[in-house]
Amino acid sequence: MNKTISILGTGWLGLPLGKKLLDQGYTVKGSTTTKENLKLLSEVGIVPFNIELKEHNIDGDILEFLKDTETLVMAFPPRLRKQPELNYASKIAHFMSVLKESDVKNLLYVSTTSVFEDEEADEDGFKVITEETEPNGISKKARKLIEGETLVKQAKEFNTTIVRFGGLIGGDRHPAISLSGKTDLKNPEAPVNLIHQEDAVNILNLIINKGIFGETFHAVNPIHQTRKNYYQFKAEAMDLAKPQFDEESVSKGKVIYSQKLNTLLGFEFNKEL
């Protein structure tokens, strides 16, 4: 088994994954778009690379980054909120053309449940989305994310697994902080779809160690409280001003469910939201 793994994007999610893999005896290469982070990666034992994917080129020594790597984790944020006009498909397509010339055989692509549209509840409640559900997002951001997924899946040179994460929380990263004190928030009855950083890292680690490629996983904690109840409770627990919701607004949402985390990975959630 090749013990070299490259992680494209060693940030909030990729860095703790890299540390975990190091502890298990892997050689880990990690990329960052920020030169200041190269020292941090080196200090923890990750071989650092300054790499940035762009629409028509790649900054950095991408060939050396991919050299001798059998498994690549694509964990970089799409940054479509900050760059709404970015041609994300072009960025992914160019990278995939370079990747086809590398030693990589297995791809682990980090995606998001934002590829699915929020909908109003019917008499049975909010729509349940499983790994068998086709992405149906219609926003500009969702369409770009779907295009990215499609390009990765269509590359038949690789065994590709896609993991769609819900909202990532952990440490000082929690939506209750940014929502604190806000008023007239929409979708009070919509279910939350969240996952703790530690659970997210453990899922990616299991996929790599068990060699589960050629699959799609939904990675969301199975507890789906309403947005109003959850965020108001968390704000109170964190000693923050409670967010206030528009009770008259019609809630749109979805319930993200996994049929495969337990059956294929034997994974059990162990972190409270």
Side-chain angles (χ1 to χ4, degrees):
M1 177 182 178
N2 187 317
K3 295 290 283 187
T4 298
I5 290 185
S6 293
I7 302 176
L8 188 65
T10 43
W12 191 83
L13 187 62
L15 180 57
L17 173 62
K19 290 179 179 178
K20 193 175 188 73
L21 292 168
L22 285 171
D23 290 342
Q24 296 167 350
Y26 288 93
T27 297
V28 180
K29 298 180 182 182
S31 80
T32 174
T33 59
T34 309
K35 290 183 178 179
E36 291 75 13
N37 288 339
L38 293 172
K39 183 180 178 182
L40 169 62
L41 297 181
S42 183
E43 286 175 345
V44 301
I46 295 174
V47 184
F49 288 82
N50 185 204
I51 292 173
E52 184 172 2
L53 305 189
K54 295 185 175 179
E55 293 178 15
H56 304 294
N57 67 291
I58 300 173
D59 290 345
D61 194 349
I62 189 66
L63 296 180
E64 186 63 28
F65 174 71
L66 297 172
K67 185 179 178 181
D68 300 325
T69 294
E70 185 174 278
T71 297
L72 171 69
V73 182
M74 298 174 66
F76 58 92
R79 303 194 186 284
L80 291 173
R81 190 170 295 175
K82 292 183 179 180
Q83 300 173 285
E85 300 309 314
L86 174 71
N87 188 335
Y88 187 65
S90 178
K91 182 176 175 177
I92 296 296
H94 180 72
F95 176 65
M96 297 304 292
S97 68
V98 174
L99 193 59
K100 290 175 182 178
E101 304 302 318
S102 73
D103 299 321
V104 172
K105 295 182 176 61
N106 303 318
L107 278 182
L108 182 48
Y109 181 74
V110 173
S111 188
T112 169
T113 57
S114 296
V115 297
F116 296 102
E117 191 72 11
D118 289 331
E119 300 177 23
E120 293 179 20
D122 58 22
E123 62 273 10
D124 297 318
F126 288 95
K127 183 177 180 179
V128 176
I129 306 291
T130 73
E131 286 98 344
E132 304 306 318
T133 308
E134 286 296 319
N136 64 346
I138 60 174
S139 70
K140 182 183 291 187
K141 176 184 175 182
R143 291 198 303 270
K144 289 183 177 184
L145 292 170
I146 293 169
E147 287 177 350
E149 278 194 9
T150 301
L151 285 167
V152 173
K153 285 191 292 187
Q154 285 178 343
K156 301 304 181 184
E157 296 86 350
F158 312 105
N159 301 312
T160 301
T161 282
I162 293 175
V163 182
R164 297 182 182 128
F165 285 115
L168 289 157
I169 64 171
D172 60 356
R173 177 170 174 168
H174 200 289
I177 298 172
S178 59
L179 294 178
S180 174
K182 291 190 175 181
T183 59
D184 294 324
L185 293 175
K186 304 300 181 185
N187 305 316
E189 298 303 312
V192 296
N193 293 282
L194 302 172
I195 183 170
H196 193 279
Q197 179 190 44
E198 187 174 315
D199 281 331
V201 168
N202 286 337
I203 288 169
L204 296 177
N205 182 65
L206 275 172
I207 291 169
I208 292 168
N209 279 294
K210 292 193 173 188
I212 307 296
F213 290 97
E215 294 288 346
T216 297
F217 291 96
H218 287 172
V220 174
N221 192 292
I223 297 175
H224 299 281
Q225 297 185 47
T226 67
R227 278 168 48 83
K228 177 185 174 183
N229 289 347
Y230 177 74
Y231 289 123
Q232 288 190 343
F233 172 80
K234 294 303 293 187
E236 185 174 11
M238 299 166 75
D239 199 25
L240 299 170
K242 290 183 180 181
Q244 301 301 317
F245 288 80
D246 178 4
E247 303 288 355
E248 302 302 318
S249 65
V250 177
S251 294
K252 291 185 177 182
K254 54 187 176 263
V255 174
I256 304 295
Y257 175 73
S258 175
Q259 297 174 312
K260 299 180 179 180
L261 285 181
N262 184 263
T263 56
L264 292 184
L265 293 182
F267 177 79
E268 299 285 348
F269 287 88
N270 60 19
K271 294 296 293 185
E272 290 185 8
L273 296 180

